[in-house]
Amino acid sequence: MGTLSRTKQKLALFVLLFLIFTSIHMQFPVLTPLAVGLGATGFMVGIMLGATSFVNLAGNLIAGVVIDRTGPRNYIIVPIGFLAASLGLHFFVSDVSHLFILRLLNGFLLAFLTPACMTLLSTFAENRREQSKNMAVNTLMVTLAMAVAPLAGGKIGEWFGASWTFAAVSAVMAAAFILARQTVQSNLVIRSYRHEPSYQSLITIRSMPIFITAFGIMYAQGTLMFELPFLSVETDFSKGDVGMMVSMIGVGTLLSLALFFVHWISPFIRLFTGIVMMCASFGWILFFSGGIPPSGALLLFGAATGIVFPAMMTMLTDRIGEEARGRGFALLSAVFSLGTITSPFISGWVRDLLSPYFISWIVLMCVLMLMGMMDQKKEQQALLRAQS
């Protein structure tokens, strides 16, 4: 395999990220129907999804260590190959227990793939602004996949059955595997350190705003994804109406990603501004629309997502050294999983007593408060160091 230019490698990685997230989101409309068709109850489906997220979280922590030690290349190519095979096996599954095992395997493989891709992407930038643009394009790829893939997966499932959707997903991952074999050339220089960085060493005043924000935004997003489908059950909204509401979030994200001038602004300011916008979005839903999300609130939430994600990734590369990037992105993915697991559980528990949107609003307000306190403390520490 010849050496590709950095520009070609980066472009290929963006295409690869699009294919990976397309394969993830194509599964959403058909996974539950496939499980129910095999005899799973709603409770069993919930256990399956929760267990997959827990395996993904644990795998993230393992992935960070091995990526930092040996580089990200193998942890992109090998998991993609196994995922293509695992997703292909979904076509032949005939028992719920077999589906459960395959979902656990998928969760574990994705735990390596996501931080490895982000670690590699972080090596293609020479400065903060370029890093921010790269992370914004990554968010764009994810958003496009989220917009296109569920529709494609649902249509294939509707026309040919859920099993054929997984066959199509397997084909997408097979194409990603071929592309990865040809184009992924790790730019990360592996060095030996007397003392390896640990996960504990990453949790500092400088980095905590990143992880707190990650939990808050995934908790808020999880609330929306949990609550919106109930509109077609509890109100006169149709499934098409709910789908249109979800698409409003993607439209908002695309609009904010088009504002490339924001990459000149400090990542912390962008992060803080994005959380303020999310708080405003949930406040709009709670206090001005009777608990039913209007299009404007969903657009605002989507726009905030397009601001927050690139800023968060840029802050992580700024505040965590290259030797610990794998651990950094793995810990971030684990926090994402924690927010995704926690939100539906709490929403289902409290929704008969009070609005889950209110809990998310409180969580986001707490994130804002903690970010402000930590930034102030960081400035005080810097002032003390300058005086001493």
Side-chain angles (χ1 to χ4, degrees), residues 4 146 277 306:
L4 298 176
M146 287 177 65
M277 292 168 65

Side-chain angles (χ1 to χ4, degrees), residues 36-356:
V36 171
L38 294 172
T41 63
F43 179 68
M44 291 173 66
V45 172
I47 290 176
M48 185 185 303
L49 296 177
T52 302
S53 295
F54 274 115
V55 167
N56 184 264
L57 189 155
N60 285 145
L61 301 179
I62 299 170
V65 177
V66 296
I67 291 168
D68 282 336
R69 287 179 180 173
T70 61
R73 184 177 188 271
N74 289 334
Y75 298 101
I76 295 174
I77 296 173
V78 175
I80 289 177
F82 278 110
L83 274 168
S86 170
L87 290 164
L89 289 174
H90 282 65
F91 183 83
F92 303 100
V93 73
S94 58
D95 187 83
V96 176
S97 61
H98 298 158
L99 181 63
F100 189 87
I101 292 169
L102 287 175
R103 299 315 299 174
L104 293 181
L105 177 61
N106 285 8
F108 187 72
L109 292 169
L110 283 170
F112 288 81
L113 188 55
T114 305
C117 286
M118 297 312 301
T119 302
L120 181 59
L121 181 59
S122 72
T123 66
F124 288 110
E126 300 294 337
N127 53 57
R128 175 189 288 179
R129 188 162 60 89
E130 192 176 342
Q131 191 76 265
S132 182
K133 285 184 177 180
N134 288 347
M135 295 305 174
V137 175
N138 167 63
T139 306
L140 176 62
M141 293 296 103
V142 175
T143 304
L144 290 174
M146 287 177 65
V148 174
L151 178 62
K155 286 297 182 182
I156 294 172
E158 183 181 326
W159 293 334
F160 305 107
S163 296
W164 280 102
T165 297
F166 280 100
V169 172
S170 177
V172 170
M173 289 305 285
F177 176 73
I178 294 169
L179 178 64
R181 283 288 305 270
Q182 297 297 318
T183 61
V184 175
Q185 301 170 356
S186 179
N187 293 306
L188 187 63
V189 178
I190 306 302
R191 303 181 180 92
S192 297
Y193 294 89
R194 186 183 298 274
H195 300 290
E196 275 197 345
S198 63
Y199 283 112
Q200 291 84 350
S201 68
L202 301 182
I203 303 181
T204 64
I205 291 294
R206 279 173 54 80
S207 64
M208 275 303 289
I210 304 167
F211 300 121
I212 290 172
T213 301
F215 177 82
I217 61 177
M218 293 309 292
Y219 187 96
Q221 192 174 82
T223 299
L224 284 171
M225 294 304 104
F226 181 84
E227 282 295 308
L228 287 178
F230 276 101
L231 290 174
S232 64
V233 177
E234 299 174 342
T235 69
D236 57 356
F237 281 76
S238 68
K239 291 182 175 63
D241 293 331
V242 173
M244 184 65 69
M245 294 172 78
V246 174
S247 72
M248 286 294 102
I249 300 175
V251 170
T253 303
L254 291 174
L255 288 174
S256 63
L257 287 173
L259 306 176
F260 279 101
F261 66 86
V262 301
H263 304 299
W264 291 93
I265 302 171
S266 159
F268 183 86
I269 293 175
R270 283 184 279 145
L271 204 62
F272 195 86
T273 302
I275 298 298
V276 169
M277 292 168 65
M278 288 186 177
C279 287
S281 171
F282 276 83
W284 188 347
I285 295 169
L286 277 169
F287 306 120
F288 299 102
S289 66
I292 296 178
S295 296
L298 296 174
L299 277 170
L300 182 60
F301 184 86
T305 302
I307 291 172
V308 165
F309 271 96
M312 186 167 49
M313 302 295 185
T314 304
M315 271 184 72
L316 189 143
T317 56
D318 275 352
R319 300 188 177 192
I320 293 179
E322 190 175 88
E323 73 281 359
R325 292 266 173 86
R327 286 175 173 83
F329 282 112
L331 184 58
L332 186 66
S333 297
V335 175
F336 283 158
S337 297
L338 185 62
T340 304
I341 294 167
T342 306
S343 179
F345 173 76
I346 293 179
S347 295
W349 182 39
V350 305
R351 72 187 313 269
D352 292 332
L353 303 173
L354 74 165
S355 171

